[in-house]
Amino acid sequence: EFFRELLENAERSLNDMFVRTYGMLYMQNSEVFQDLFTELKRYYTGGNVNLEEMLNDFWARLLERMFQLINPQYHFTEDYLECVSKYTDQLKPFGDVPRKLKVQVTRAFIAARTFVQGLTVGREVANRVSKVSPTPGCIRALMKMLYCPYCRGLPTVKPCNNYCLNVMKGCLANQADLDTEWNLFIDAMLLVAERLEGPFNIESVMDPIDVKISEAIMNMQENSMQVSAKVFQGCGQPKPAPALRSSRSVPENFNTRFRPYNPEERPTTAAGTSLDRLVTDIKEKLKLSKKFWSTLPYTICKDERVTAGPSIEEDCWNGHTKARYLPEIMNDGLTNQINNPEVDVDITRPDTFIRQQIMALRVMTNKLKNAYNGNDVNFQDTSDETSGSGSGSGCTDDICPTEFDFITTEAPPVDSDRREVEASATQPGWSLQTLLVVFINLVLQRQWR
């Protein structure tokens, strides 16, 4: 939203400045500038736009329009104007502004768009992984940990912290395998964030873009005679315009100069929010989310609503009675759960959905690295990549698979004589699944807003 508002303010500022300066002349040719901002917005929102080609086309079109304005005594055909546009690079009628602006705009927009896409992918991966159904072994372990104390007459005794850790490490074994790729993804996001704070950040590029374009136009005005002479030499002598048009002189058509730039007149974005402050805030949240998946069991089990806490080792539920929990704590990840004493984990069957999210992070990390190096990234080819992650608009609830969204408000239809039996059989499992998801989502809300 910040970047979109930034573009709109830049376009509004340029329009106001050019209307005051050129009036009707600008209004008659305003679509050249409007198209520039339209393409910039389309690129930012995921459109398949080649920034360099688009900017080259803008300067070529601007040269065509200005060439007609500084030579009103001639009539130019479309073929002749096409010939004029071919001289944009050779004559450099706008000075060095187009080259500098091309470097600044491409670097700024590549970094900004990829960074926002990275935030989207990170959020989508976290949301999808949080909805993966617990395994039957996990549900049994959760039931034993949370409900069995009531059966033993110990309703006030909470599970031991280490006992909870082994249960959660077994339940979240596949999620923990996200950690390596997640950390690389966060590191890449922090690298691109540096680009948003550097000299090519999108705010410092777009804020004065009207002044930069005005400088280019002034260069064209000052060199109009030399430019016209070289174009006539290369494209041929144009035909004179009708008498009505030829009577007007160049100064009467295009002789105004831009007045000094006053930064106080420029509108602010998002109630004065600056990009530096916004990026600093996001970077802090990104740093906090490192090692999120491997520390998730610890985050859940230190919650006083779940366990007795790390300091209470004797007066806690160890899965059998009120006593210390003796088994060692398992390491993180699927392969380390082979001897988990609390959860039956099949380490030979990794969760394919979570593996897809790992690949989505890997793809996005590569794009972030390319963006950091200034290489453009095309998001149009990502619809086939791992559940839609990284696409221009992202994956929405309307089109994404929902087989993992196991929380539902409607029960499947069953025969009337089986309804009570099936309801009573499935109720504990569904409530435990919901509880685990609630735990994960609470942690996600705190660390990935």
Side-chain angles (χ1 to χ4, degrees), residues 16-17 25 34 113 119 132 138 141 169 273 290 313 364 405 409 420:
D16 293 344
M17 185 183 197
L25 281 176
Q34 291 170 357
R113 182 173 81 161
L119 289 175
V132 173
C138 171
K169 288 199 175 194
T273 302
K290 284 199 70 173
E313 298 182 359
M364 191 66 235
D405 300 339
T409 57
E420 284 190 15

Side-chain angles (χ1 to χ4, degrees), residues 52 62 65 108 144 226-227 230 276 370 387 397:
E52 291 195 8
L62 185 58
R65 298 297 179 94
K144 180 181 177 183
Q226 297 94 315
V227 171
K230 290 182 179 179
D276 289 341
N370 283 329
S387 303
D397 291 339

Side-chain angles (χ1 to χ4, degrees), residues 225-236:
M225 294 183 64
Q226 297 94 315
V227 171
S228 297
K230 290 182 179 179
V231 169
F232 294 159
Q233 183 180 359
C235 297

Side-chain angles (χ1 to χ4, degrees), residues 361-372:
L361 290 172
R362 188 170 300 158
V363 170
M364 191 66 235
T365 299
N366 289 333
K367 292 176 179 178
L368 288 163
K369 291 178 180 178
N370 283 329
Y372 176 76

